Amino acid sequence: MAAAANPTKRLSKLLSSQSLFRRFSSTPEAQPTEKSLNLCSAVNQALHIALESDPKSYVFGEDVGFGGVFRCTVGLADRFGKARVFNTPLCEQGIVGFGIGLAAMGNRAIAEIQFADYIFPAFDQIVNEAAKFRYRSGNQFNCGGLTIRAPYGAVGHGGHYHSQSPEAFFCHVPGIKVVIPRSPYQAKGLLLSCIRDPNPVVFFEPKWLYRLAVEEVPEHDYMLPLSEAEVIREGSDLTMVGWGAQLAIMQEACRDAEKEGISCELIDLKTLLPWDKEMVEASVKKTGRLLISHEAPVTGGFGAEISASIVERCFSRLEAPVARVCGLDTPFPLVFEPFYMPTKNKILDAIRSTVNY
Amino acid sequence: MAMSWNSRRVIGAVKRVTPQWKSIVARKQGDLLPTLRLFPFPFIGDGSDGVFPRRFQSTEAEKMLELSADRSLEFPGGKVTFVSSMNFLAEASAERVHCYRTLDESGQPLMSSKFLEVSEEVAVRMYTAMVTLSQMDSIFYEAQRQGRISFYVTSIGEEAINIASAAALTDDDLIVPQYREPGVLLWRGFSLQEFANQCFSNKADYGKGRQMPVHYGSNKLNYFTVASTIASQLPHAVGAAYSLKMDKRDACVVTYFGDGGSSEGDFHAALNFAAVMDAPVIFICRNNGWAISTPTSDQFRSDGVVVRGQAYGVRSIRVDGNDALAVYSAVQSAREMAISEQRPILIEALTYRAGHHTTSDDSTKYRPADEIQLWRTSGDPVTRFRKWIECNGWWNNAAENELRSNTRQQILNAIQVAEKVEKPPVADLFTDVYDVPPPNLQEQERLLRETILRHPADYPENVPF
Ligand SMILES: Cc1ncc(C[n+]2csc(CCOP(=O)(O)OP(=O)(O)O)c2C)c(N)n1
Ligand SMILES: [Mg+2]
């Protein structure tokens, strides 16, 4: 085998040299002020705006007071005070349960779970409480002001408990929304939408991109629509669907495929629940082929849902089986991370075999 | 519910209720009355005889009952005495729970201090292990800074809890650790090479390179494998202890956690289960003041963790965690009680996380440098124990210098060896997910191997194919 490729370096190069995210973003017409921001700062800016624009909004979670272990909440406690931005005890079920109660009283509760890997103690509060709060009361009560932020995904050295992508668990829960941004511009606009959406939302932040992804982000308050996917690269031979950090890898594969004369259309789903089936359907009807890629294990991943739905809707138009390039069906392994991951070349291989089916 | 109602005397207490209360109760009476019908007993559950609207209804009959009844209620759990005064339990006692200590900062035994005998041999071994642990920490920490390992967690400042608790146990006692207790493994004979192998994720790591550094585990040494998840180990400890109990083993389970961990639901579940199941388990809380950047004042408002024990019916003690002799004595006594009486014990050891949380953390961002400095100097548990053994004539400078240079060399050697050993093979990615790999994993392994052959440059060459 050749020398070990350093995936962080590779991604970093990709992001900076080709200004991938700038090209991704559907930047609105000339904004007065824009600044180069990384994803972490974009989240931070969104939180500043959320707290500033609504006095009934709160930001809390483990270590949030000093700025959070990823520094996403830096400066908030100083500016808005400890009553609105605070550390919680180390208890995820408590964080989400508290957030539900706060939201049910008409507030915007912006809860941070330190890592998506640690969201599971709060699973009951999310699945049985937040998701059913409106339905079970006949809409007398709701906790729509609740937004749960959690950094998710691989970083190169996170092992079992600092790497997971648990989005599919939450996509099985009617009553909550699941949103994942791909870039700083998207992160800010989508997070503000989530915070202001009248439904509880789980917002997974691709922590690999916190510092790596940099793009121009307007300083003002703006929102990006939920449940609307976006074609971030147009193509005619194959539709590719992804979200979050994986899109950067998929974009790279699209470029390499193009050199071989294969034209890929890349869609950022952005909101996984409820998701924009129509856009994916329209694209697959055009290309006749579909590839889905995510970091989470392939079995029972959200790719399975997309695949099933598209087969239902586009069966007669499909020219090849739907391809899934995903994480393996193992726990997330430290030393084997490069083997576990849905790499560019795995995607490229799948693109070729789908197109040549 | 089996409950006998012995007393209506409480009803007479109405006469002594203050006028303000009367009016509040009277106003609320209308609201409360319908609810009362739900209760099978004329008693609202919390034992305080203050708010009880029905007592206002028929004073004559109640007066008669008052004369004939005694002053207690047989309630599940035992007799509950009635009192006429409405006393809320205070949120805290006037004085904080005392902390058991045997040695002062200069290593001198406190006046009339009581501790278990420690022989010269054991004391020297303990000290040696404490020094080894702290040297391992500083060298491995440096190795992480140099990029040779991906991550590290030190136990600096908590050497006494690590080593003295281990020394007080037998190897039959099962350890269910958090992540800041590698000293227990060290005491039990986990070699420096074994520590290094895990941190370098090489093929000699028992965890097959799958977990981050410091996630040690040893079946041979009765030490469950560390997980990063906070407090999730605590209920496991209780289940394991119940097994020891059922098997009538002369052993207990010892589980460790931090001040932060005491906030998780699993902590509360574990304490309650342990009490209800009469499980021989010792909970050792390392209250080191910090959970990453969160000070204990943001973690809890109770008097630390020790007071939680009583709430769950668990015998508890607070101990100076930087006093190795006190930790040793408390843990050994706890073990004796846990096994002979088949009961859980909670130990809160007061200490300080003298290092950063992990190599991903810079604690000077959130705590004063002089606080760290103080604990690293006058608070240091290793120095304190050294002074004690020196006073006993069991240790001197020559021994100290020899120990430090020897262990340093051994640790550096262990690192050099570990670094050169190759990583676990690709096959290890797919084993142990289940007892045997199911068809989906067999297929994924086959496909992965084809991919590796097609794109060898994507894969690290130190992982054997
Ligand atoms: C369930 C869970 N939530 C959050 C975390 C992130 N985290 C890792 S260590 C830590 C603080 C633990 O503090 P404490 O229990 O006091 O142990 P100490 O590190 O002080 O030894 C946190 C919040 C985690 N590992 N697991
Ligand atoms: Mg702590």
Side-chain angles (χ1 to χ4, degrees), chain B residues 175-204:
Chain B
I175 306 299
V176 182
Q178 190 176 311
Y179 47 67
R180 221 182 287 280
E181 305 88 16
V184 182
L185 260 186
L186 181 71
W187 179 263
R188 290 188 170 198
F190 207 67
S191 69
L192 295 170
Q193 194 59 60
E194 288 174 301
F195 282 111
N197 290 339
Q198 199 286 330
C199 289
F200 280 86
S201 315
N202 67 29
K203 72 171 186 193

Side-chain angles (χ1 to χ4, degrees), chain B residues 154-298:
Chain B
T154 70
S155 306
I156 295 168
E158 300 178 41
E159 292 89 346
I161 299 177
N162 268 256
I163 301 300
S165 66
L169 303 172
T170 75
D171 290 351
D172 288 337
D173 299 323
L174 171 72
I175 306 299
V176 182
Q178 190 176 311
Y179 47 67
R180 221 182 287 280
E181 305 88 16
V184 182
L185 260 186
L186 181 71
W187 179 263
R188 290 188 170 198
F190 207 67
S191 69
L192 295 170
Q193 194 59 60
E194 288 174 301
F195 282 111
N197 290 339
Q198 199 286 330
C199 289
F200 280 86
S201 315
N202 67 29
K203 72 171 186 193
D205 165 27
Y206 304 122
K208 306 181 188 175
R210 293 167 184 154
Q211 283 213 81
M212 290 169 78
V214 313
H215 291 62
Y216 313 111
S218 170
N219 191 333
K220 193 177 87 191
L221 298 176
N222 244 341
Y223 192 98
F224 271 13
T225 299
V226 173
S228 321
T229 42
I230 293 294
S232 52
Q233 76 280 13
L234 300 175
H236 309 168
V238 183
Y242 193 70
S243 172
L244 295 180
K245 178 190 184 76
M246 288 295 98
D247 295 345
K248 301 198 165 42
R249 294 273 304 281
D250 180 23
C252 64
V253 177
V254 181
T255 188
Y256 297 80
F257 60 103
D259 41 282
S262 77
S263 294
E264 287 282 9
D266 279 339
F267 164 79
H268 299 272
L271 243 70
N272 195 34
F273 267 62
V276 170
M277 308 305 293
D278 299 315
V281 51
I282 304 175
F283 296 94
I284 300 183
C285 176
R286 298 175 293 93
N287 181 347
N288 61 13
W290 295 91
I292 310 186
S293 76
T294 304
T296 48
S297 54
D298 284 354

Side-chain angles (χ1 to χ4, degrees), chain A residues 45-119:
Chain A
Q45 218 179 65
L47 295 174
H48 271 279
I49 291 172
L51 287 163
E52 192 179 29
S53 58
D54 185 351
K56 282 171 77 73
S57 54
Y58 299 84
V59 172
F60 52 91
E62 292 156 17
D63 301 295
V64 155
F66 94 117
V69 297
F70 288 103
R71 318 307 296 142
C72 291
T73 55
V74 159
L76 298 175
D78 285 344
R79 184 166 163 209
F80 299 100
K82 283 185 168 178
R84 292 180 63 203
V85 180
F86 48 91
N87 286 338
T88 63
L90 205 181
C91 183
E92 292 74 16
Q93 65 190 96
I95 293 170
V96 174
F98 175 92
I100 292 171
L102 190 61
M105 301 300 283
N107 302 289
R108 298 194 197 284
I110 308 165
E112 175 176 304
I113 299 293
Q114 199 162 83
F115 285 84
D117 310 70
Y118 303 133
I119 204 168

